[in-house]
Amino acid sequence: MTTEGNLLTGHEADGGVDVARTRPALLAIEPTFGAGVLCPAVHAALDRLDLGLDDVAVVNLVTRAALLGAASSDVVVATFYNVNPRLVESVIPAVWRKASPEAVLAAQQAAFAPVLAAALAPIDPAELGELAELARAAGQAAAANREGRPLLAGLAALPWPREDHLVIWHAAKVLREHRGDGHIAGLVLEGLRGIDALVIHAAYEGWPGELLRDSRRWDPPAWDASVASLRRRGWLTEAATPEVTPEVTPELTAAVTPELTAAVTPELTAEGRRRRRWIEDRTDQLAALAYAPIGDAGMDRMIELGAKVVAALGAAGLATRLRRPVAR
């Protein structure tokens, strides 16, 4: 049963912020997070620690889990929510016996900082500074509200960097985890398990289901079992429609294979779409408090300046493989 009594009227949050702008404002700087995971220099730095991190999914897992300290696999599974526990258990806690979480985070930043600085160098320093100031104000507001948000809390315990490019990267991570932890709260309220959330996300956003499944290391039987369960619960119809391929950056078109684009994804029922939209709306509302210090005008300016960051990352070969759709 959906809990709708706390939904705010219209699009305004308590502080007068247009909650519909919160996701585009985050997406304006979030690609710096993706670049910090995909960056070859980061992979090389972690490889020098002899961690045995062999792909992007594992690098993402370890660099984000490091925010929790030397956490157990059970804690990481709970906080990451939609990652296959077997993937987590294959890496954690063994990785902490090779390098401390602090060493992992330090290696990532040391490797990525000069790469990001070079990538963003073509941007007017005044504009980069303005974006850093806006992003930091939002990030600090998010960090001050860490209750129920464990990954955010781990980031909030770290000092803010001084350089503008690193401020933007750190703020992207803070705002991403702030929103993500709030999103998990909505998923829990709707009774969606981790793999269920991925299936519903594929149907709702138009992402290739196989890509989401493989990125979190779920096997086809587990995925199919989730689909069957969600059909019985009224989230999905019995029909299937061709998946929509999201925008792929020119440099990395190989990320989407012909087999993947030919796959099908279940279709949401009217009730399933309504409930998933409720989760997204509630996520926007929970994220809105972070942007209250900069208001709607500040979010619009973040979106405007963030477009230059995304373009600069693309020109430097640091674009995220698949851009998450903005339209809902």
Side-chain angles (χ1 to χ4, degrees), residues 23 198 201-212 243-247 260 265 321-325:
R23 184 178 177 191
L198 290 177
H201 186 67
Y204 182 76
E205 296 277 18
W207 275 88
E210 184 176 348
L211 180 63
L212 289 179
E243 291 184 340
V244 178
T245 303
E247 181 184 356
L260 186 151
T265 190
R321 294 174 187 269
L322 299 173
R323 298 193 181 114
R324 184 180 180 187

Side-chain angles (χ1 to χ4, degrees), residues 219-271:
D219 56 37
W223 186 271
D224 293 344
S226 174
V227 170
S229 172
L230 289 165
R231 280 175 170 152
R232 289 193 300 270
R233 294 166 58 191
W235 284 82
L236 301 174
T237 71
E238 295 295 329
T241 55
E243 291 184 340
V244 178
T245 303
E247 181 184 356
V248 182
T249 57
E251 313 92 315
L252 295 161
T253 53
V256 177
T257 65
E259 292 78 10
L260 186 151
T261 56
V264 295
T265 190
E267 191 175 278
L268 286 167
T269 61
E271 173 70 3

Side-chain angles (χ1 to χ4, degrees), residues 151-189:
L151 282 171
L152 168 69
L155 271 169
L158 301 178
W160 279 84
R162 295 183 179 182
E163 299 88 344
D164 288 338
H165 61 289
L166 292 180
V167 168
I168 293 168
W169 179 44
H170 188 70
K173 292 186 288 183
V174 168
L175 293 170
R176 185 181 191 274
E177 302 299 5
H178 177 261
R179 182 182 179 89
D181 286 339
H183 186 68
I184 288 173
L187 297 172
V188 171
L189 280 173

Side-chain angles (χ1 to χ4, degrees), residues 13-14 17-19 22 178 283-293 299:
D14 291 333
V17 176
D18 182 355
V19 300
T22 62
H178 177 261
T283 301
D284 287 343
Q285 291 155 6
L286 292 172
L289 61 83
Y291 301 91
M299 286 192 287

Side-chain angles (χ1 to χ4, degrees), residues 43-273:
H43 288 234
L46 296 179
D47 188 60
R48 287 193 290 274
L49 295 177
D50 195 26
L51 301 182
L53 309 184
D54 56 357
D55 63 20
V56 171
V58 179
V59 169
N60 176 62
L61 174 69
V62 170
T63 53
R64 289 176 65 213
L67 300 169
L68 301 170
S72 68
S73 59
D74 286 339
V75 170
V76 174
V77 168
T79 52
F80 277 56
Y81 201 73
N82 61 19
V83 178
N84 190 328
R86 286 182 293 182
L87 171 62
V88 177
E89 292 161 1
S90 71
V91 178
I92 294 172
V95 67
W96 310 136
R97 292 192 286 269
K98 298 179 179 179
S100 69
E102 294 78 12
V104 168
L105 293 174
Q108 182 190 29
Q109 179 162 320
F112 186 52
V115 175
L116 183 61
L120 302 188
I123 299 176
D124 182 341
E127 291 189 328
L128 198 68
E130 182 184 359
L131 178 58
E133 184 177 352
L134 289 167
R136 179 169 183 153
Q140 287 177 327
N145 293 271
R146 62 193 76 174
E147 296 90 342
R149 293 180 166 98
L151 282 171
L152 168 69
L155 271 169
L158 301 178
W160 279 84
R162 295 183 179 182
E163 299 88 344
D164 288 338
H165 61 289
L166 292 180
V167 168
I168 293 168
W169 179 44
H170 188 70
K173 292 186 288 183
V174 168
L175 293 170
R176 185 181 191 274
E177 302 299 5
H178 177 261
R179 182 182 179 89
D181 286 339
H183 186 68
I184 288 173
L187 297 172
V188 171
L189 280 173
E190 284 291 357
L192 294 175
R193 302 170 303 150
I195 190 170
D196 298 336
L198 290 177
V199 172
I200 295 299
H201 186 67
Y204 182 76
E205 296 277 18
W207 275 88
E210 184 176 348
L211 180 63
L212 289 179
R213 186 197 75 204
D214 291 350
S215 72
R216 301 298 186 267
R217 298 297 188 268
W218 292 100
D219 56 37
W223 186 271
D224 293 344
S226 174
V227 170
S229 172
L230 289 165
R231 280 175 170 152
R232 289 193 300 270
R233 294 166 58 191
W235 284 82
L236 301 174
T237 71
E238 295 295 329
T241 55
E243 291 184 340
V244 178
T245 303
E247 181 184 356
V248 182
T249 57
E251 313 92 315
L252 295 161
T253 53
V256 177
T257 65
E259 292 78 10
L260 186 151
T261 56
V264 295
T265 190
E267 191 175 278
L268 286 167
T269 61
E271 173 70 3
R273 180 160 292 276

